[in-house]
Amino acid sequence: MTTVSQDPTAAVAPRLGRRPAPHKAKRDWTGWKFIGPFMLIFAFVLIAPVVYSIYLSFFKDQLVGGNSFVGLANYIQVLGDQKFWESLGRVSIFLVVQVPIMLLLALFAALAIDSARLHFPAFFRIGIFLPYAVPAVVATLMWGFMYGVRFGLVANINDFFGISLPDPLSNAWVLASIGNIVTWEFVGYNMLLFYAALRVIPTDLYEAAELDGANHFRVIRSIKLPALRPAIVIGTIFSIIGSFQLFNEPNILKPLAKNTIVTSFTPNMYAYNLSFSGQQYNYAATIAIVMGVATAVIALIVQNRGSRKEV
Amino acid sequence: MTQATVTAPSAAASARGTRSTSRATRHTRSLGGRGVHQRRSILLTIVMSVMVVYALFPLFWLFVSSTKTQSELLSSFGLWFSGDFSLFDNIAQTLSYGNGEFVRWFGNTLLYVVVGAGGATLLAALGGYGLAKFNFPGKKGVFAVVLGAVAIPGTALAVPTFLMFSQLGLTNTPWSIILPSLISPFGLYLIWTYALDAVPTEVLEAARMDGAGEMRTFFTISLRLLTPGIVTVLLFTVVATWNNYFLPLIMLSEPTWYPLTVGLNQWNAQSQTVGGDAIYNLVVTGSLLTIVPIIVAFLFLQKYWQSGLSAGSVKA
């Protein structure tokens, strides 16, 4: 059992003593044969666009004078842009409400499936996960049709019970309706993330807990939740990134809710519409950078706090 | 950590070996976990059934709706069949509408998936393996750059990528979709953690003694050991490319190279427009046809991706 250790060099050490393999030489570039192709394309599709958009954000296309260097003017404009702040506020509310609900549901489902107290656990696992395989476009179109008050399910329910439910696409409800679509799409993915982490908890921990007479909730609190912490941190970070990038669902719902989903509904929609309807590429690039930095900072804070508590 | 050392030899075995071991682990666990006072709970099963119903009823709605004619779709109760069973009629119409543009989009999606997701998986497998099994100058830098890039929101990059690609004349070509799809930092990470345990360094040493080149060793020996991890990455990159919407939306201005997602959304937008040809039944049927292949793939390859994910999370 100890032959394969965590440190790959440990197992090789004795052999190395006999005959130093060439690939272990001081400057061995063999690894680049493997990582090289990835890094080449990575540089082209990830690093280059970042550098390019930073460059763009310092320029402005003006009617008089053409393309000229403006320093931080675009950034100052973003900070004073009410549409930007409104869109950021919207995704922040979304983040604070939707993400906890989704992660708690996912956590509950993962613990239930792992508990061995459920009938047909495999069915529940795949059933709840399945929506993840559905494209955001199809998910949003489906829910959008069902939300419809004219001929969707909401209309059916209203007719049947003779009541009038609020319009899911009205101003007051549209964010919650989008939250529901996103929850539906990703609750199973997060559940699987948590479930995979639960699966690798060593069995002897449970046996010890049972000998100590710990009940089910005690096991969850003392063994399972601490073991889940890294997975919860990852799930939270992915969800924060997802919320700040919110685009697909509101953009696809837009034709159904023309008056409630404005072109600057989320920061991403704002940047998109600035580029493709307004041709304001420099300003759009600036917004993309501001959002990228904001997301990265918040993700780092969550990661640090998440791992600090672990120690 | 204890678990990591215990599963390491099994991960080094073939895919089949890994799967049977994980089943064995599960078996011992449920014996240990269930104990005397833990019986299967009806209440918990009912609560979870509510969640499954929530997850599956929209898909049921989609199927039921695909069997209806346009007028039935707009007038009958959504969650049950009504009128003539016109699923096949709808499928035929979906495939032929607009000179068969749906078939064209389906072919485009397949192209993006095969080249994009296939290429992404190959690059992630090579790179993750390189990171796990070699020390090379700049390795730390590679880590830092890749990890940093994961924190950058993908869609935030989309607009700058579009601007750059349009400068290079790549927009409105399949390359504008395929090139960005080739990078999967998550896939790289998963293969890297998986390869640490699944490919024993002794095996590589033995191959080197025999004089096999590093690339040959990778394709003849390591690739097979990495199979569960690779299938997992492949499935997730396939889903990502199959479901890709934002990138093609901004890169393509003409329907010729649309994937299914953008095409369907265009049909829907057209239906919502006053005076546009309202083809709701085709939007619904087209949506069904779009999700069937991917759901089938997930159901059939369950065993693989679930073992691959568990292995990845050991280190997470």
Side-chain angles (χ1 to χ4, degrees):
Chain A
M1 282 298 138
T2 46
T3 46
V4 180
S5 86
Q6 286 304 102
D7 179 13
T9 51
V12 198
R15 224 180 274 255
L16 272 177
R18 271 205 312 270
R19 185 198 206 182
H23 74 285
K24 286 287 170 186
K26 194 79 184 138
R27 293 185 73 79
D28 185 350
W29 297 82
T30 317
W32 275 104
K33 277 192 202 162
F34 291 93
I35 190 74
F38 181 94
M39 290 310 290
L40 193 72
I41 303 201
F42 184 85
F44 183 66
V45 301
L46 260 138
I47 298 175
V50 171
V51 173
Y52 185 55
S53 59
I54 292 173
Y55 165 82
L56 280 177
S57 70
F58 291 120
F59 287 83
K60 199 167 204 165
D61 221 359
Q62 277 148 330
L63 279 176
V64 185
N67 201 26
S68 56
F69 181 80
V70 292
L72 292 174
N74 286 324
Y75 289 91
I76 293 164
Q77 194 187 340
V78 171
L79 294 182
D81 187 340
Q82 206 192 337
K83 278 185 179 170
F84 172 74
W85 288 110
E86 277 172 9
S87 67
L88 188 62
R90 224 172 263 123
V91 289
S92 303
I93 295 171
F94 186 87
L95 172 73
V96 173
V97 178
Q98 185 266 339
V99 171
I101 292 176
M102 175 180 70
L103 292 181
L104 284 174
L105 281 174
L107 188 63
F108 174 81
L111 287 170
I113 291 172
D114 185 65
S115 71
R117 299 197 61 186
L118 199 62
H119 296 271
F120 324 112
F123 165 72
F124 287 105
R125 194 170 64 218
I126 190 71
I128 295 173
F129 178 70
L130 217 47
Y132 175 73
V134 175
V137 175
V138 173
T140 311
L141 289 178
M142 278 190 315
W143 281 101
F145 282 139
M146 290 192 287
Y147 285 154
V149 278
R150 270 187 309 144
F151 50 76
L153 274 187
V154 173
N156 294 154
I157 294 169
N158 284 348
D159 288 347
F160 191 80
F161 294 105
I163 52 175
S164 93
L165 291 171
D167 177 0
L169 296 177
S170 64
N171 232 331
W173 288 95
V174 72
L175 201 59
S177 303
I178 293 171
N180 174 54
I181 300 176
V182 176
T183 305
W184 182 81
E185 289 177 284
F186 291 104
V187 75
Y189 173 81
N190 286 290
M191 173 196 76
L192 211 65
L193 195 70
F194 298 155
Y195 177 72
L198 285 171
R199 281 280 299 273
V200 296
I201 295 175
T203 320
D204 42 359
L205 279 183
Y206 293 116
E207 283 158 8
E210 203 174 336
L211 286 178
D212 289 346
N215 67 19
H216 208 81
F217 291 101
R218 189 65 213 276
V219 170
I220 289 179
R221 207 155 46 97
S222 307
I223 299 178
K224 295 189 176 182
L225 286 183
L228 274 172
R229 186 182 292 280
I232 293 173
V233 171
I234 291 177
T236 310
I237 291 176
F238 282 171
S239 306
I240 290 171
I241 295 176
S243 305
F244 273 2
Q245 301 190 62
L246 195 63
F247 176 84
N248 291 354
E249 293 79 7
N251 194 52
I252 296 161
L253 273 182
K254 203 177 174 328
L256 292 166
K258 287 187 187 71
N259 302 323
T260 47
I261 298 179
V262 291
T263 51
S264 58
F265 193 76
T266 71
N268 232 336
M269 279 182 74
Y270 190 32
Y272 169 80
N273 284 308
L274 281 172
S275 324
F276 295 96
S277 318
Q279 311 287 315
Q280 299 189 51
Y281 296 121
N282 301 81
Y283 193 50
T286 314
I287 289 179
I289 292 169
V290 170
M291 283 311 292
V293 171
T295 312
V297 167
I298 293 178
L300 276 176
I301 291 172
V302 170
Q303 194 184 8
N304 280 339
R305 294 203 55 178
S307 40
R308 196 184 304 151
K309 277 184 201 157
E310 198 177 15
V311 176
Chain B
M1 279 300 115
T2 328
Q3 184 68 8
T5 21
V6 172
T7 49
S10 69
S14 68
R16 180 179 296 242
T18 313
R19 273 184 284 136
S20 61
T21 320
S22 60
R23 211 176 294 142
T25 320
R26 205 179 141 60
H27 182 61
T28 11
R29 167 98 92 69
S30 55
L31 279 181
R34 211 183 296 157
V36 194
H37 54 278
Q38 293 184 26
R39 268 170 282 121
R40 287 180 193 261
S41 159
I42 302 280
L43 181 68
L44 192 63
T45 307
I46 291 172
V47 173
M48 288 294 286
S49 302
V50 175
M51 269 185 90
V52 163
V53 168
Y54 169 69
L56 296 183
F57 91 85
L59 300 177
F60 179 69
W61 177 90
L62 187 67
F63 175 69
V64 168
S65 299
S66 307
T67 68
K68 292 175 183 173
T69 61
Q70 171 115 309
S71 58
E72 283 291 335
L73 184 64
L74 301 186
S75 61
S76 64
F77 174 62
L79 284 174
W80 201 245
F81 303 92
S82 172
D84 298 333
F85 186 86
S86 34
L87 175 65
F88 300 107
D89 197 38
N90 281 334
I91 291 177
Q93 271 191 60
T94 305
L95 298 182
S96 62
Y97 184 82
N99 293 323
E101 55 187 0
F102 187 86
V103 180
R104 164 103 215 186
W105 298 335
F106 199 94
N108 291 342
T109 299
L110 272 183
L111 172 75
Y112 302 147
V113 165
V114 170
V115 183
T121 308
L122 181 68
L123 288 179
L126 280 167
Y129 173 80
L131 286 174
K133 293 293 160 190
F134 296 92
N135 283 314
F136 51 87
K139 188 171 171 176
K140 281 195 179 141
V142 169
F143 272 130
V145 170
V146 174
L147 282 180
V150 179
I152 301 174
T155 29
L157 274 176
V159 170
T161 312
F162 164 78
L163 298 175
M164 198 182 92
F165 277 22
S166 73
Q167 295 281 324
L168 299 170
L170 286 172
T171 45
N172 273 320
T173 68
W175 291 111
S176 60
I177 316 299
I178 290 170
L179 284 174
S181 306
L182 286 174
I183 291 304
S184 166
F186 170 73
L188 184 82
Y189 166 79
L190 206 138
I191 298 282
W192 167 53
T193 52
Y194 196 79
L196 280 178
D197 290 337
V199 184
T201 311
E202 294 93 322
V203 173
L204 299 182
E205 284 297 313
R208 278 171 202 138
M209 298 281 184
D210 292 346
E214 295 295 344
M215 275 293 159
R216 216 188 123 203
T217 311
F218 175 79
F219 283 104
T220 52
I221 299 171
S222 312
L223 207 56
R224 213 156 4 109
L225 299 175
L226 290 172
T227 303
I230 289 176
V231 173
T232 311
V233 173
L234 187 63
L235 263 173
F236 281 87
T237 50
V238 164
V239 171
T241 14
W242 190 276
N243 299 355
N244 202 353
Y245 168 73
F246 189 50
L247 193 70
L249 178 73
I250 62 174
M251 292 292 178
L252 308 170
S253 54
E254 281 154 33
T256 329
W257 289 109
Y258 276 0
L260 284 171
T261 48
V262 180
L264 278 176
N265 190 51
Q266 190 196 271
W267 276 5
N268 179 53
Q270 167 195 323
S271 303
Q272 304 287 349
T273 312
V274 181
D277 188 7
I279 43 170
Y280 291 110
N281 58 331
L282 303 192
V283 176
V284 168
T285 313
S287 298
L288 182 73
L289 294 177
T290 302
I291 64 171
V292 164
I294 200 111
I295 285 184
V296 168
F298 256 100
L299 290 178
F300 274 91
L301 296 169
Q302 256 194 87
K303 288 266 154 63
Y304 280 99
W305 55 264
Q306 292 197 351
S307 76
L309 264 190
S310 305
S313 74
V314 174
K315 297 279 179 348

